[in-house]
Amino acid sequence: MGNAQEKPPGNGGGGTRSDSATAGSGIRSQGGGSAQKSPSAPERGLVNGTQEENNPAGVRKEQDSPAVDASYLDAPAGALPPHLARLKNEGNHLFKHGQFSDALEKYTQAIEGCIEAGAGIDSPEDLCILYSNRAACYLKDGNSTDCIQDCTMALELQPYSLKPLLRRAMAYESLERYRKAYVDYKTVLQLDTGVQAAHDSVHRITKLLIEQDGPEWREKLPEIPVVPLSVQQQHREKPISIELAQARAARAAQEEARRKEARYTLLKQAGNDLVKKGHFQEALEKYTECLSTKPDECALYTNRAICLLKLSRFEEAKQDCDSALQLEPGNKKAYYRRALAYKGLPVCQQ
């Protein structure tokens, strides 16, 4: 479930449209002309001049809607009784489809059902999840105050639960209660150092607190709780969901792509600087490393070609120009440098 705050669109006011037709009369005045009678019921039942078969009243039949798979409602949900599990599953389904207010209502019904039945006492983890899920709905609707309240309830039931901590931190941050947000984010990172949102927020809030409180900003922070090692270990051993695994894989792929892009930029710039200094062999090596990251970058082949020309390696320079022209058939640098390569080759190799 996401954590970004998003307010639903407001209800637009609807205006009334004036019309010269008299309600229910079927008669419309048209510019002083004669009144025109609306089609009668049998006339409305005609299609291309012929009344629909088996539909003498002319009533249009709606197409049968496809059957909706509601089997997810009966999926197990921890130790919750079936009727409460159904409410939770319906809330999850609504949340995934962006219907946050409706999801909130289902979670509320499930929470109230747990409290009335005493199920929350028998299954504090399930009640904790319900509070945390409802908090996510509040966060999506921009209701940070109620989000904080539900997260705190969840944490009273299951101390050091990661999602309520993270959602409460986000709610605190949205209310500019930066010290409390910082404490919750740091607690999250004790449980899971891989939560990138917590790392980013700690970095951002640190800058804000330094500007706000000066060099002594740490002394003004509430105490950061120390998560017991047993809890940290238990969290690490807890199986992760498919959604979380996919999210982590996506983040890892993005981080790897950023790392490669940064290395490529540094290598290419280093190659360009070495060419300017006349260090063609070293520049060639930098461009070759760049090609391992971006083998379809035309400029790398033309840049490497000039190094090869300076090193009198004309056949290799010609091959790099050929590669560049395959990528960009109209590249003028590649044509010119290939001409220089031909000029340097023995006649028998041209």
Side-chain angles (χ1 to χ4, degrees), residues 95-141:
F95 188 95
K96 288 177 182 177
H97 289 80
Q99 297 172 261
F100 306 121
S101 296
D102 294 335
L104 189 149
E105 183 180 344
K106 297 299 178 184
Y107 293 137
T108 299
Q109 291 174 18
I111 289 169
E112 290 172 351
C114 281
I115 294 171
E116 289 172 5
I121 300 172
D122 298 331
S123 182
E125 183 176 359
D126 292 316
L127 187 55
C128 167
I129 292 170
L130 288 170
Y131 276 118
S132 178
N133 287 2
R134 190 171 70 172
C137 296
Y138 283 131
L139 196 61
K140 285 288 188 181
D141 282 340

Side-chain angles (χ1 to χ4, degrees), residues 256-292:
E256 179 65 13
R258 283 195 294 267
R259 187 188 66 78
K260 286 185 175 180
E261 183 64 28
R263 178 169 173 75
Y264 166 82
T265 302
L266 288 173
L267 286 169
K268 186 179 179 184
Q269 186 58 51
N272 294 346
D273 292 341
L274 288 165
V275 167
K276 292 176 184 177
K277 296 176 182 177
H279 301 162
F280 300 111
Q281 180 59 43
E282 292 90 337
L284 184 149
E285 292 169 1
K286 298 297 182 185
Y287 293 135
T288 300
E289 284 190 68
C290 286
L291 282 167
S292 65

